[in-house]
mmCIF file of all heavy atoms in Angstrom:
data_model
loop_
_atom_site.group_PDB
_atom_site.id
_atom_site.type_symbol
_atom_site.label_atom_id
_atom_site.label_comp_id
_atom_site.label_asym_id
_atom_site.label_seq_id
_atom_site.Cartn_x
_atom_site.Cartn_y
_atom_site.Cartn_z
ATOM 1 N N ASN Q 308 15.923 42.820 15.272
ATOM 2 C CA ASN Q 308 16.965 42.447 14.318
ATOM 3 C C ASN Q 308 17.265 40.971 14.503
ATOM 4 O O ASN Q 308 18.189 40.594 15.217
ATOM 5 C CB ASN Q 308 18.219 43.287 14.531
ATOM 6 C CG ASN Q 308 19.242 43.084 13.425
ATOM 7 O OD1 ASN Q 308 18.926 42.528 12.379
ATOM 8 N ND2 ASN Q 308 20.465 43.520 13.654
ATOM 9 N N GLU Q 309 16.476 40.146 13.847
ATOM 10 C CA GLU Q 309 16.597 38.708 14.036
ATOM 11 C C GLU Q 309 17.564 38.120 13.019
ATOM 12 O O GLU Q 309 17.475 38.405 11.820
ATOM 13 C CB GLU Q 309 15.228 38.044 13.910
ATOM 14 C CG GLU Q 309 14.244 38.518 14.974
ATOM 15 C CD GLU Q 309 12.975 37.689 14.993
ATOM 16 O OE1 GLU Q 309 13.040 36.506 14.615
ATOM 17 O OE2 GLU Q 309 11.926 38.224 15.379
ATOM 18 N N PRO Q 310 18.514 37.291 13.466
ATOM 19 C CA PRO Q 310 19.533 36.754 12.565
ATOM 20 C C PRO Q 310 18.974 35.880 11.450
ATOM 21 O O PRO Q 310 19.595 35.744 10.403
ATOM 22 C CB PRO Q 310 20.435 35.946 13.505
ATOM 23 C CG PRO Q 310 19.600 35.667 14.716
ATOM 24 C CD PRO Q 310 18.699 36.846 14.859
ATOM 25 N N GLY Q 311 17.799 35.300 11.639
ATOM 26 C CA GLY Q 311 17.239 34.431 10.614
ATOM 27 C C GLY Q 311 16.548 35.164 9.484
ATOM 28 O O GLY Q 311 16.116 34.544 8.518
ATOM 29 N N LEU Q 312 16.435 36.498 9.581
ATOM 30 C CA LEU Q 312 15.746 37.279 8.560
ATOM 31 C C LEU Q 312 16.738 37.964 7.630
ATOM 32 O O LEU Q 312 17.884 38.247 8.012
ATOM 33 C CB LEU Q 312 14.851 38.340 9.219
ATOM 34 C CG LEU Q 312 13.734 37.838 10.128
ATOM 35 C CD1 LEU Q 312 12.948 39.019 10.688
ATOM 36 C CD2 LEU Q 312 12.806 36.885 9.396
ATOM 37 N N THR Q 313 16.307 38.257 6.432
ATOM 38 C CA THR Q 313 17.134 38.999 5.479
ATOM 39 C C THR Q 313 17.160 40.471 5.882
ATOM 40 O O THR Q 313 16.328 40.924 6.681
ATOM 41 C CB THR Q 313 16.554 38.876 4.072
ATOM 42 O OG1 THR Q 313 15.278 39.548 4.032
ATOM 43 C CG2 THR Q 313 16.379 37.416 3.670
ATOM 44 N N PRO Q 314 18.094 41.262 5.326
ATOM 45 C CA PRO Q 314 18.087 42.703 5.620
ATOM 46 C C PRO Q 314 16.751 43.367 5.283
ATOM 47 O O PRO Q 314 16.297 44.257 6.018
ATOM 48 C CB PRO Q 314 19.225 43.239 4.751
ATOM 49 C CG PRO Q 314 20.166 42.076 4.609
ATOM 50 C CD PRO Q 314 19.280 40.865 4.540
ATOM 51 N N GLU Q 315 16.147 42.955 4.193
ATOM 52 C CA GLU Q 315 14.855 43.544 3.817
ATOM 53 C C GLU Q 315 13.775 43.187 4.838
ATOM 54 O O GLU Q 315 12.933 44.026 5.199
ATOM 55 C CB GLU Q 315 14.444 43.054 2.425
ATOM 56 C CG GLU Q 315 15.328 43.513 1.291
ATOM 57 C CD GLU Q 315 16.647 42.757 1.198
ATOM 58 O OE1 GLU Q 315 16.775 41.678 1.833
ATOM 59 O OE2 GLU Q 315 17.554 43.238 0.498
ATOM 60 N N GLN Q 316 13.764 41.933 5.288
ATOM 61 C CA GLN Q 316 12.789 41.527 6.293
ATOM 62 C C GLN Q 316 13.036 42.229 7.624
ATOM 63 O O GLN Q 316 12.094 42.652 8.295
ATOM 64 C CB GLN Q 316 12.831 40.009 6.469
ATOM 65 C CG GLN Q 316 12.292 39.232 5.284
ATOM 66 C CD GLN Q 316 12.563 37.747 5.388
ATOM 67 O OE1 GLN Q 316 13.581 37.314 5.926
ATOM 68 N NE2 GLN Q 316 11.651 36.938 4.855
ATOM 69 N N ASN Q 317 14.291 42.374 8.006
ATOM 70 C CA ASN Q 317 14.593 43.060 9.258
ATOM 71 C C ASN Q 317 14.235 44.538 9.198
ATOM 72 O O ASN Q 317 13.891 45.141 10.219
ATOM 73 C CB ASN Q 317 16.069 42.882 9.620
ATOM 74 C CG ASN Q 317 16.303 41.678 10.513
ATOM 75 O OD1 ASN Q 317 15.533 41.423 11.434
ATOM 76 N ND2 ASN Q 317 17.360 40.918 10.243
ATOM 77 N N ALA Q 318 14.311 45.139 8.020
ATOM 78 C CA ALA Q 318 13.883 46.528 7.886
ATOM 79 C C ALA Q 318 12.384 46.659 8.174
ATOM 80 O O ALA Q 318 11.935 47.606 8.837
ATOM 81 C CB ALA Q 318 14.210 47.041 6.487
ATOM 82 N N LYS Q 319 11.619 45.697 7.682
ATOM 83 C CA LYS Q 319 10.180 45.709 7.983
ATOM 84 C C LYS Q 319 9.930 45.367 9.449
ATOM 85 O O LYS Q 319 9.034 45.933 10.084
ATOM 86 C CB LYS Q 319 9.446 44.730 7.065
ATOM 87 C CG LYS Q 319 9.448 45.147 5.605
ATOM 88 C CD LYS Q 319 8.426 44.388 4.782
ATOM 89 C CE LYS Q 319 8.834 42.996 4.447
ATOM 90 N NZ LYS Q 319 7.873 42.318 3.537
ATOM 91 N N GLN Q 320 10.735 44.436 9.987
ATOM 92 C CA GLN Q 320 10.590 44.065 11.392
ATOM 93 C C GLN Q 320 10.816 45.269 12.300
ATOM 94 O O GLN Q 320 10.144 45.426 13.320
ATOM 95 C CB GLN Q 320 11.576 42.944 11.740
ATOM 96 C CG GLN Q 320 11.541 42.482 13.184
ATOM 97 C CD GLN Q 320 10.390 41.540 13.477
ATOM 98 O OE1 GLN Q 320 9.367 41.581 12.801
ATOM 99 N NE2 GLN Q 320 10.542 40.719 14.484
ATOM 100 N N ALA Q 321 11.766 46.137 11.961
ATOM 101 C CA ALA Q 321 12.042 47.316 12.779
ATOM 102 C C ALA Q 321 10.828 48.240 12.838
ATOM 103 O O ALA Q 321 10.528 48.829 13.888
ATOM 104 C CB ALA Q 321 13.254 48.065 12.226
ATOM 105 N N ILE Q 322 10.102 48.355 11.728
ATOM 106 C CA ILE Q 322 8.895 49.185 11.707
ATOM 107 C C ILE Q 322 7.823 48.590 12.619
ATOM 108 O O ILE Q 322 7.162 49.297 13.387
ATOM 109 C CB ILE Q 322 8.374 49.318 10.269
ATOM 110 C CG1 ILE Q 322 9.392 50.053 9.402
ATOM 111 C CG2 ILE Q 322 7.022 50.031 10.243
ATOM 112 C CD1 ILE Q 322 9.055 50.039 7.916
ATOM 113 N N VAL Q 323 7.669 47.274 12.542
ATOM 114 C CA VAL Q 323 6.679 46.598 13.387
ATOM 115 C C VAL Q 323 7.060 46.719 14.858
ATOM 116 O O VAL Q 323 6.205 46.944 15.721
ATOM 117 C CB VAL Q 323 6.544 45.126 12.962
ATOM 118 C CG1 VAL Q 323 5.695 44.353 13.965
ATOM 119 C CG2 VAL Q 323 5.927 45.038 11.575
ATOM 120 N N CYS Q 324 8.341 46.563 15.163
ATOM 121 C CA CYS Q 324 8.791 46.684 16.555
ATOM 122 C C CYS Q 324 8.468 48.054 17.116
ATOM 123 O O CYS Q 324 8.014 48.190 18.254
ATOM 124 C CB CYS Q 324 10.292 46.431 16.649
ATOM 125 S SG CYS Q 324 10.763 44.696 16.590
ATOM 126 N N GLU Q 325 8.719 49.085 16.324
ATOM 127 C CA GLU Q 325 8.431 50.442 16.785
ATOM 128 C C GLU Q 325 6.945 50.622 17.066
ATOM 129 O O GLU Q 325 6.552 51.291 18.024
ATOM 130 C CB GLU Q 325 8.893 51.453 15.741
ATOM 131 C CG GLU Q 325 8.678 52.891 16.160
ATOM 132 C CD GLU Q 325 9.143 53.891 15.115
ATOM 133 O OE1 GLU Q 325 9.671 53.457 14.056
ATOM 134 O OE2 GLU Q 325 8.975 55.104 15.338
ATOM 135 N N GLY Q 326 6.111 49.989 16.236
ATOM 136 C CA GLY Q 326 4.668 50.126 16.442
ATOM 137 C C GLY Q 326 4.134 49.311 17.597
ATOM 138 O O GLY Q 326 3.072 49.642 18.158
ATOM 139 N N THR Q 327 4.839 48.242 17.973
ATOM 140 C CA THR Q 327 4.335 47.348 19.013
ATOM 141 C C THR Q 327 4.069 48.085 20.310
ATOM 142 O O THR Q 327 2.987 47.985 20.901
ATOM 143 C CB THR Q 327 5.325 46.191 19.250
ATOM 144 O OG1 THR Q 327 5.448 45.424 18.053
ATOM 145 C CG2 THR Q 327 4.843 45.291 20.378
ATOM 146 N N GLY Q 328 5.062 48.836 20.781
ATOM 147 C CA GLY Q 328 4.903 49.555 22.044
ATOM 148 C C GLY Q 328 3.790 50.585 21.988
ATOM 149 O O GLY Q 328 3.049 50.777 22.960
ATOM 150 N N LYS Q 329 3.664 51.255 20.836
ATOM 151 C CA LYS Q 329 2.620 52.274 20.704
ATOM 152 C C LYS Q 329 1.225 51.655 20.819
ATOM 153 O O LYS Q 329 0.332 52.216 21.465
ATOM 154 C CB LYS Q 329 2.770 53.000 19.370
ATOM 155 C CG LYS Q 329 4.055 53.821 19.249
ATOM 156 C CD LYS Q 329 4.161 54.473 17.878
ATOM 157 C CE LYS Q 329 5.447 55.281 17.757
ATOM 158 N NZ LYS Q 329 5.590 55.884 16.403
ATOM 159 N N VAL Q 330 1.049 50.493 20.179
ATOM 160 C CA VAL Q 330 -0.266 49.853 20.243
ATOM 161 C C VAL Q 330 -0.551 49.330 21.645
ATOM 162 O O VAL Q 330 -1.668 49.453 22.150
ATOM 163 C CB VAL Q 330 -0.359 48.727 19.190
ATOM 164 C CG1 VAL Q 330 -1.622 47.891 19.393
ATOM 165 C CG2 VAL Q 330 -0.352 49.312 17.792
ATOM 166 N N TYR Q 331 0.458 48.751 22.308
ATOM 167 C CA TYR Q 331 0.242 48.294 23.680
ATOM 168 C C TYR Q 331 -0.140 49.445 24.591
ATOM 169 O O TYR Q 331 -0.998 49.305 25.471
ATOM 170 C CB TYR Q 331 1.487 47.582 24.203
ATOM 171 C CG TYR Q 331 1.613 46.133 23.762
ATOM 172 C CD1 TYR Q 331 2.827 45.624 23.332
ATOM 173 C CD2 TYR Q 331 0.511 45.279 23.764
ATOM 174 C CE1 TYR Q 331 2.950 44.295 22.925
ATOM 175 C CE2 TYR Q 331 0.624 43.961 23.359
ATOM 176 C CZ TYR Q 331 1.843 43.478 22.942
ATOM 177 O OH TYR Q 331 1.956 42.170 22.534
ATOM 178 N N GLU Q 332 0.491 50.592 24.410
ATOM 179 C CA GLU Q 332 0.120 51.767 25.211
ATOM 180 C C GLU Q 332 -1.331 52.158 24.940
ATOM 181 O O GLU Q 332 -2.082 52.499 25.857
ATOM 182 C CB GLU Q 332 1.059 52.930 24.893
ATOM 183 C CG GLU Q 332 2.456 52.792 25.464
ATOM 184 C CD GLU Q 332 2.489 52.936 26.988
ATOM 185 O OE1 GLU Q 332 1.485 53.389 27.577
ATOM 186 O OE2 GLU Q 332 3.515 52.581 27.584
ATOM 187 N N ALA Q 333 -1.733 52.105 23.669
ATOM 188 C CA ALA Q 333 -3.109 52.465 23.318
ATOM 189 C C ALA Q 333 -4.105 51.474 23.897
ATOM 190 O O ALA Q 333 -5.202 51.857 24.336
ATOM 191 C CB ALA Q 333 -3.250 52.537 21.797
ATOM 192 N N ILE Q 334 -3.728 50.202 23.924
ATOM 193 C CA ILE Q 334 -4.617 49.181 24.468
ATOM 194 C C ILE Q 334 -4.971 49.479 25.923
ATOM 195 O O ILE Q 334 -6.110 49.263 26.351
ATOM 196 C CB ILE Q 334 -3.952 47.790 24.341
ATOM 197 C CG1 ILE Q 334 -3.948 47.331 22.887
ATOM 198 C CG2 ILE Q 334 -4.671 46.755 25.204
ATOM 199 C CD1 ILE Q 334 -3.153 46.057 22.643
ATOM 200 N N LYS Q 335 -4.008 49.974 26.672
ATOM 201 C CA LYS Q 335 -4.238 50.238 28.089
ATOM 202 C C LYS Q 335 -5.348 51.256 28.314
ATOM 203 O O LYS Q 335 -5.997 51.260 29.359
ATOM 204 C CB LYS Q 335 -2.940 50.718 28.743
ATOM 205 C CG LYS Q 335 -1.856 49.648 28.817
ATOM 206 C CD LYS Q 335 -0.525 50.217 29.249
ATOM 207 C CE LYS Q 335 -0.585 50.836 30.630
ATOM 208 N NZ LYS Q 335 0.749 51.331 31.051
ATOM 209 N N SER Q 336 -5.579 52.128 27.340
ATOM 210 C CA SER Q 336 -6.629 53.148 27.479
ATOM 211 C C SER Q 336 -7.966 52.694 26.913
ATOM 212 O O SER Q 336 -8.921 53.474 26.879
ATOM 213 C CB SER Q 336 -6.184 54.439 26.778
ATOM 214 O OG SER Q 336 -6.070 54.234 25.377
ATOM 215 N N LEU Q 337 -8.042 51.421 26.468
ATOM 216 C CA LEU Q 337 -9.282 50.888 25.886
ATOM 217 C C LEU Q 337 -9.688 49.625 26.634
ATOM 218 O O LEU Q 337 -9.491 48.497 26.157
ATOM 219 C CB LEU Q 337 -9.071 50.573 24.395
ATOM 220 C CG LEU Q 337 -8.804 51.772 23.480
ATOM 221 C CD1 LEU Q 337 -8.362 51.305 22.107
ATOM 222 C CD2 LEU Q 337 -10.041 52.659 23.372
ATOM 223 N N PRO Q 338 -10.269 49.776 27.808
ATOM 224 C CA PRO Q 338 -10.582 48.597 28.625
ATOM 225 C C PRO Q 338 -11.591 47.647 27.994
ATOM 226 O O PRO Q 338 -11.647 46.469 28.374
ATOM 227 C CB PRO Q 338 -11.141 49.208 29.917
ATOM 228 C CG PRO Q 338 -11.620 50.581 29.529
ATOM 229 C CD PRO Q 338 -10.675 51.037 28.457
#
Side-chain angles (χ1 to χ4, degrees):
N308 189 14
E309 298 190 28
L312 299 180
T313 66
E315 294 77 15
Q316 290 170 327
N317 268 319
K319 293 195 283 185
Q320 179 79 334
I322 296 171
V323 171
C324 282
E325 182 180 358
T327 298
K329 295 178 180 178
V330 170
Y331 279 137
E332 286 290 347
I334 287 172
K335 292 170 61 178
S336 65
L337 294 169

